[in-house]
């Protein structure tokens, strides 16, 4: 198939999943064209079967706002005409579903051109935060409904979409996935010693995110401070975003700043996850929690909030621990138990890895997307 994949290039799970899907589909013999403003975060340098098309959005003194939706739709039309796309797969509804819809309308209006089918994958905040905002809800719902096929990354997100938007489309759930050949623990004692100073008693707690309010990174620091009182430990904060400063201030206020290391944005998270003992994810909302899945693949137990799709990724008490959003003490208690009881840590980390290998590797999930594409091409 000729497949165009549209995604955001910025740090975020939707771009990572779209890029991994593009690579996996190319490996399976499809011709894939990634369409984005720049090569996405963690995108490949060169990959057989995978091409990249950059969307440029020229400014003009009259415009106060960049006209991204129009330039993206325009680029999709051009790529589709030149490369005979069968499928346009829009990741993140806003505004990608709208751009794909507009592109399909333009192509349908041109004689002698194949009209590709549009598939939209909902990732989370495109429905739960932004999509359901009254400034976007009507256009978001319309464009989702106009797609030839719609997928969501969890059952929870599918149900939230029906609850929060007037969407009637059939939403097919296809969970997120990892390239399990890359995402696995690779021990590096030197890197670990770099963070522990060689102190073998010291436990490493990690959080990876884009530090937006939905990630509740101040709660990460609160939980860590409670852990630190009871277990010699350090906190690695990986990523950057609007709340990183706030997290640093919280660490100073709680007297744990010396035990917190800010590593900024890192393309390669596997080496860092591989030296960690525990991952904290107390998010306010998480349609899936790709970061949790990456940690589990590296045998790092996750303590998270019981929200959104996280219970579909983490089996509470078996492959990690889930607690109500504000249960900071309970999260700290689970973390301390994992960090002080070696047998428990081993049991949970092995169960986490087994769950990833069984349910969330590319070879289990990518064929679901292919089958979905085929169904849409045959039926619509
Ligand atoms: O979090 C966002 O605002 C955007 C989005 C992203 O691009 O990272 O995150 C969502 O999509 C990920 C990939 O499907 C999911 O793993 C994240 O759980 C989800 N974030 C939220 O629901 C907050």
């Amino acid at each position: 198939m000729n497949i165009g994949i549209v995604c955001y290039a910025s740090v975020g799970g939707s771009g990572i999943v779209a890029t991994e899907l593009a690579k996996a589909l190319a490996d399976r013999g499809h011709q894939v064209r990634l369409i984005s403003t720049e090569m996405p975060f963690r995108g490949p340098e060169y990959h057989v079967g995978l091409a990249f098309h950059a969307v440029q959005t020229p400014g003009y003194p009259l415009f106060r706002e960049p006209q991204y939706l129009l330039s993206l739709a325009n680029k999709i039309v051009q790529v589709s005409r030149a490369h005979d796309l069968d499928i346009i797969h829009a990741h993140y509804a806003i505004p990608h579903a709208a751009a794909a819809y507009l592109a399909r309308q333009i192509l349908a209006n041109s004689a002698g051109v194949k009209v590709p089918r549009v598939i939209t994958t909902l990732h989370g905040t495109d429905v739960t935060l932004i999509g359901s905002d009254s400034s976007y809800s009507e256009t978001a719902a319309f464009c989702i409904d106009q797609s030839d096929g719609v997928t969501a990354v969890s059952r929870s997100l599918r149900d939230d979409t029906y609850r929060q938007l007037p969407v009637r489309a059939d939403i097919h759930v296809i969970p997120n996935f990892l390239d399990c050949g890359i995402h696995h623990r690779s021990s590096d004692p030197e890197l670990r010693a770099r963070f522990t100073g060689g102190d073998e008693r010291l436990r490493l707690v990690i959080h990876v995110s884009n530090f937006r309010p939905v990630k509740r990174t101040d709660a990460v620091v609160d939980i860590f401070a409670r852990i630190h009182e009871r277990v010699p430990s350090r906190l690695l904060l990986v990523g950057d975003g609007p709340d990183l400063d706030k997290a640093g201030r919280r660490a100073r206020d709680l007297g744990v700043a010396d035990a917190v290391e800010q590593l900024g944005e890192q393309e390669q998270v596997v080496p860092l996850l591989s030296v960690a003992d525990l991952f904290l994810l107390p998010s306010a909302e998480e349609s899936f929690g790709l970061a949790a899945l990456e940690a589990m693949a590296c045998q790092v137990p996750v303590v998270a909030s019981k929200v959104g799709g996280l219970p579909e990724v983490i089996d509470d008490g078996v492959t990690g621990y889930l607690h109500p959003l504000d249960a900071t003490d309970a999260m700290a208690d689970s973390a301390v138990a994992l960090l002080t009881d070696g047998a428990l840590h081993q049991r949970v980390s092995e169960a986490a890895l087994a769950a990833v290998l069984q349910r969330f590797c590319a070879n289990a999930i990518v064929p679901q997307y292919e089958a979905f594409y085929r169904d849409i091409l045959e039926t619509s």
Side-chain angles (χ1 to χ4, degrees), residues 267-284:
E267 289 239 349
Q268 304 300 329
V269 287
V270 171
L272 294 167
L273 289 171
S274 293
V275 297
D277 300 301
L278 182 87
F279 190 102
L280 292 176
L281 193 64
S283 304

Side-chain angles (χ1 to χ4, degrees), residues 112-125:
V113 178
K114 187 195 280 175
V115 181
R117 301 289 187 273
V118 169
I119 290 176
T120 297
T121 289
L122 306 174
H123 277 274
T125 48

Side-chain angles (χ1 to χ4, degrees), residues 51-62:
F52 170 67
H53 298 269
V55 183
Q56 263 140 19
T57 306
Y60 184 69
L62 194 71

Side-chain angles (χ1 to χ4, degrees), residues 76-86 88 103-117:
I76 297 171
V77 170
Q78 290 168 336
V79 172
S80 195
R81 279 207 183 114
H83 303 286
D84 220 21
L85 294 184
D86 299 296
I88 301 166
R104 190 191 58 196
Q105 295 303 103
I106 295 170
L107 290 160
N109 205 36
S110 338
V113 178
K114 187 195 280 175
V115 181
R117 301 289 187 273

Side-chain angles (χ1 to χ4, degrees), residues 183-185 276-277 293 295-302 313 315 317-321 338 341-360:
H183 284 89
H184 54 77
R185 195 169 184 93
D277 300 301
L293 192 66
M296 290 163 68
C298 293
Q299 294 177 63
V300 185
V302 180
V313 178
D315 186 359
V318 180
T319 64
Y321 287 93
L338 283 162
D341 179 343
L344 176 70
H345 190 279
Q346 187 175 350
R347 202 164 59 241
V348 174
S349 52
E350 284 175 0
L353 174 62
V356 174
L357 295 177
Q358 207 181 348
R359 297 166 50 208
F360 297 111

Side-chain angles (χ1 to χ4, degrees), residues 88-99:
I88 301 166
H89 189 167
H91 285 260
Y92 207 87
I94 298 177
H96 297 164

Side-chain angles (χ1 to χ4, degrees), residues 232-249:
S233 49
R234 290 183 72 81
L235 173 64
L236 309 181
L237 294 176
V238 181
D240 205 342
D243 278 1
L244 182 59
D245 261 8
K246 197 169 146 198
R249 274 200 306 279

